[in-house]
Amino acid sequence: QVTLKESGPAVIKPTQTLTLTCSFSGFSLTTPGMCVGWFRQPPGKALEWLALLDWDEDEYYKTSLKTRLTISKDTSKNQVVLSMTKMDPVDTATYFCARTQLWNDYFGAFDFWGQGTMVTVSS
Amino acid sequence: QPALSQPPSASASLGASVTLTCTLSTGHRDYTVDWYQQRPGKGPRFLVRVGSGGMVGSKGEGIPDRFSVVGSGLNRSLTIRNIQEEDEGDYHCGADHGTGTNFTVEFGGGTKLTVL
């Protein structure tokens, strides 16, 4: 059974760095093809992809946010961590992590998602 | 990279059928699209992938036969038959593009489905 769960601070001040953790089970990020991505959804708005990390530790970032994002993994803990610097009130959103798989240079759908964690940026 | 367009809202009566559309931007008719359901307060749930020729691969875990897709031109449509109360929520379509540093995932604005 594949599960993912996000955790992190509910409130963060502007200019601070946000660190979110995705704890997962039911698969291993050492298995070739496995990947975990991060997304966000501001209240009442669309989903937005942020970053993705594959089993080989290749990192993929949304171009417009690349300078602020870092994605990494702790294989022993089955966790993927996303850091976002210089937080601003416009970054207020629910943040999700999800799993996908890479086959023959093609990504599958994000087939399992976490429940999300709401982050509010406010002084 | 493709842009995806969805109508903001749709409604259907209990037991009826509804078709939700996701339209790709011009020049991207070969792209596959993933449909996701998001119930209130929950994370998205993968439903099905659809290309220009129809469904691609398998549906998401536990997705019933009531959910079907069609791909035609720039449109990637999701039809839900015999609508149930549990089908109410937001429906998102998404597509990935590129490789390496050019990789991105784009989503439509989502359609809010109300079950009457």
Side-chain angles (χ1 to χ4, degrees), chain A residues 25-92:
Chain A
S25 64
F27 67 97
S28 173
L29 249 188
T30 61
T31 301
M34 287 295 176
C35 312
V36 171
W38 279 97
F39 304 78
R40 69 180 178 180
Q41 186 177 33
K45 295 190 177 180
L47 286 167
E48 178 184 26
W49 170 75
L50 300 175
L52 183 142
L53 183 70
D54 72 17
W55 81 102
D56 206 22
E57 301 195 59
D58 291 320
E59 303 166 27
Y60 305 77
Y61 296 105
K62 183 178 179 70
T63 301
S64 60
L65 294 172
K66 185 174 182 176
T67 59
R68 299 176 53 202
L69 295 171
T70 303
I71 191 170
S72 61
K73 65 174 179 173
D74 186 331
T75 303
S76 65
K77 294 182 179 178
N78 278 348
Q79 291 179 338
V80 172
V81 176
L82 181 75
S83 295
M84 180 180 286
T85 63
K86 301 176 184 178
M87 292 295 285
D88 182 272
V90 300
D91 297 313
T92 293

Side-chain angles (χ1 to χ4, degrees), chain A residues 7-18:
Chain A
S7 59
V11 181
I12 191 168
K13 296 185 187 310
T15 76
Q16 288 186 331
T17 295
L18 172 68

